[in-house]
Amino acid sequence: MEHWDIYNINREKTDKTMVRGNKIENGDFHLVVHACIFNSSGQMLIQKRQPFKTGWSGMWDLSVGGSAVSGDTSAKAIERELFEELGFEIDLSGVRPHLTINFDGAFDDIYLINRDIDISSLKLQYEEVETVKWARSDEICKMIDEGIFIPYYKNYIKLLFDMRHNYGAADIK
């Protein structure tokens, strides 16, 4: 049974937790994390979710995502998710997410990682990930149009590609 820490609207941890799968109460929030891994060819590693997985089953998605479990920091949660889903180890201590997206009941921290990874060396978590591949921004947007990629805003996908080398919203080199 997975437990999540509960945060208030100001992203301050409360003394409450909840069990995954239970309805989150109005005014409560939990922490979600995503990582997008980019290679030096300007492609993002994407994963195809298992067809039997609940929620967006059989669809392509960003590199890795999940919820922080009770006691996790944002960085520790994404390190754990990267290892669980892909068998990829990385130390993100002292690293901030590139952006946070707010949605009903959650804060979603997005980490953008630049790393050339040999995908044949990854150890995919059978329960979560069917396969992975590298894809360009335009390929992902086409997959969204085809209904085979989670229907993120296409401008969001483009933003992830644009922000992969820097923090902030300005193109400062």
Side-chain angles (χ1 to χ4, degrees):
M1 185 179 323
E2 191 172 289
H3 287 82
W4 296 341
D5 289 324
I6 298 298
Y7 297 81
N8 66 23
I9 195 167
N10 297 313
R11 199 174 168 149
E12 298 161 332
K13 195 184 293 187
T14 68
D15 59 355
K16 300 188 296 185
T17 62
M18 69 174 284
V19 174
R20 179 187 185 128
N22 289 354
K23 187 176 184 300
I24 195 160
E25 294 185 24
N26 192 25
D28 286 347
F29 302 86
H30 76 284
L31 180 59
V32 175
V33 291
H34 279 90
C36 299
I37 302 171
F38 296 91
N39 65 21
S40 58
S41 297
Q43 299 167 306
M44 181 194 297
L45 182 70
I46 60 174
Q47 68 159 276
K48 188 173 185 187
R49 297 165 66 86
Q50 285 286 13
F52 51 79
K53 182 164 173 40
T54 304
W56 308 111
S57 58
M59 296 190 79
W60 287 92
D61 195 359
L62 305 174
S63 304
V64 170
S67 290
V69 296
S70 187
D72 274 349
T73 63
S74 174
K76 285 297 174 200
I78 199 58
E79 286 176 1
R80 179 181 43 75
E81 291 291 338
L82 283 160
F83 186 73
E84 285 177 2
E85 293 185 19
L86 303 178
F88 176 65
E89 274 189 274
I90 189 170
D91 180 4
L92 294 172
S93 31
V95 175
R96 297 179 301 146
H98 278 75
L99 60 141
T100 298
I101 296 179
N102 298 300
F103 63 94
D104 289 342
F107 303 101
D108 188 355
D109 285 347
I110 318 300
Y111 291 83
L112 307 179
I113 300 166
N114 293 289
R115 212 48 71 84
D116 286 318
I117 297 173
D118 175 7
I119 60 175
S120 68
S121 70
L122 296 176
K123 294 172 185 67
L124 306 183
Q125 183 182 25
Y126 174 77
E127 297 80 11
E128 300 267 343
V129 183
E130 181 179 339
T131 191
V132 294
K133 70 177 184 176
W134 293 106
R136 294 183 321 269
S137 176
D138 62 315
E139 293 172 307
I140 294 172
C141 290
K142 184 177 182 224
M143 294 168 78
I144 291 170
D145 288 340
E146 293 169 353
I148 61 173
F149 201 100
I150 291 177
Y152 295 110
Y153 294 114
K154 288 186 270 185
N155 284 334
Y156 169 62
I157 298 299
K158 292 173 187 173
L159 179 66
L160 296 173
F161 276 82
D162 285 346
M163 291 184 69
R164 71 185 184 271
H165 294 298
N166 300 304
Y167 283 91
D171 188 13
I172 301 170
K173 305 236 189 304

